[in-house]
Amino acid sequence: MKLSRILLFCATLLLANAQVAQAQNGTAALDRVVEKIRRSGDLSAAFTLTVYNALNEPVDKQSGTIKLSGDKFYWTTPAMTVWYNGQLQWAYVKASEEVNLTEPTPAEIASINPYTLITTYKQKFNVKALKAKNSQQRVAELTPKKKGTQIDRVVLTVNASNWMPQSFQIYYSDRTHSTIALSRLVTGQNFSDATFVFDKKQYPKAEVIDLR
């Protein structure tokens, strides 16, 4: 479903020198973001996810929170909660009282956890800087190095005062796209491993469906 493909880069420049400059500027900004995230320890943030169809019409909007610790993450909205412990993922759907247990691929993780798009950008994306709306922002466009991927491009907006992500605009190959706006970012936290594992005791009526 589109919501889970989040919860994570057009024009060709005419001059080669301009292309190089933009790539360097975009890469420099992302390098600062990666370093800031690496030094921030565990972090949490609020987010608003808006999903658009191929006609650029909003078809779904959800607000929630996300917690991150290295490769692990937890995020929740009124409709769904997802836990990932670095290997296994549990996705709880409130409406059906079902939990889908999977062992996702790196590509699937990137579509759910947008921070993965940043930390792996050098391996998977080409980068160029875009014009920001104001001096307090930096904007980078990431396009996959590998053709035929599910993600067509990602536009990342960064807060230049703290070098943390403000929003992701993720454009998919089927012409749909989603926007993830982040707020209330808190760094330097210390989450237990249990934070990123589904606890059956907390959801006694839920049916766990093992899809591995």
Side-chain angles (χ1 to χ4, degrees):
M1 67 179 64
K2 297 295 183 183
L3 179 62
S4 69
R5 293 198 310 182
I6 354 266
L7 239 89
L8 25 238
F9 292 32
C10 163
T12 303
L13 299 177
L14 297 177
L15 299 176
N17 287 340
Q19 288 180 319
V20 173
Q22 284 201 315
Q24 289 176 338
N25 289 339
T27 299
L30 285 180
D31 283 344
R32 295 190 70 168
V33 174
V34 171
E35 181 63 14
K36 183 61 180 291
I37 291 175
R38 187 182 70 81
R39 293 185 176 185
S40 294
D42 296 354
L43 59 87
S44 66
F47 68 85
T48 299
L49 167 66
T50 307
V51 178
Y52 298 83
N53 62 20
L55 300 177
N56 199 33
E57 300 169 333
V59 294
D60 194 9
K61 186 174 183 178
Q62 295 282 344
S63 295
T65 58
I66 185 170
K67 297 178 181 179
L68 298 167
S69 177
D71 294 334
K72 304 171 186 177
F73 66 84
Y74 161 91
W75 62 259
T76 184
T77 71
M80 177 180 285
T81 301
V82 177
W83 300 259
Y84 178 68
N85 69 352
Q87 178 184 1
L88 301 178
Q89 175 181 286
W90 297 262
Y92 167 72
V93 181
K94 184 176 181 179
S96 62
E97 288 280 355
E98 292 180 348
V99 179
N100 291 325
L101 173 59
T102 59
E103 192 167 349
T105 65
E108 290 169 334
I109 291 299
S111 70
I112 298 170
N113 177 11
Y115 280 85
T116 303
L117 299 173
I118 300 175
T119 56
T120 63
Y121 85 91
K122 287 186 177 180
Q123 294 80 24
K124 298 181 180 180
F125 295 96
N126 295 312
V127 182
K128 72 175 181 181
L130 300 182
K131 185 177 180 180
K133 292 182 180 180
N134 57 65
S135 61
Q136 294 302 308
Q137 294 179 337
R138 298 292 185 271
V139 182
E141 180 185 69
L142 287 74
T143 54
K145 294 180 179 179
K146 182 179 179 181
K147 301 300 182 183
T149 61
Q150 184 183 47
I151 294 177
D152 184 55
R153 63 189 176 98
V154 176
V155 177
L156 168 66
T157 300
V158 174
N159 185 331
S161 64
N162 62 9
W163 294 101
M164 295 298 280
Q166 279 188 333
S167 68
F168 298 84
Q169 294 172 279
I170 306 174
Y171 297 85
Y172 301 101
S173 56
D174 61 1
R175 299 177 59 195
T176 64
H177 70 279
S178 59
T179 297
I180 305 171
L182 299 167
S183 62
R184 300 201 301 275
L185 183 69
V186 180
T187 61
Q189 301 191 70
N190 186 22
F191 300 124
S192 68
D193 290 342
T195 303
F196 309 101
V197 176
F198 171 73
D199 184 357
K200 175 64 175 177
K201 295 179 181 178
Q202 299 297 320
Y203 301 85
K205 296 182 179 180
E207 177 187 3
V208 178
I209 302 173
D210 194 335
L211 301 176
R212 291 174 292 175

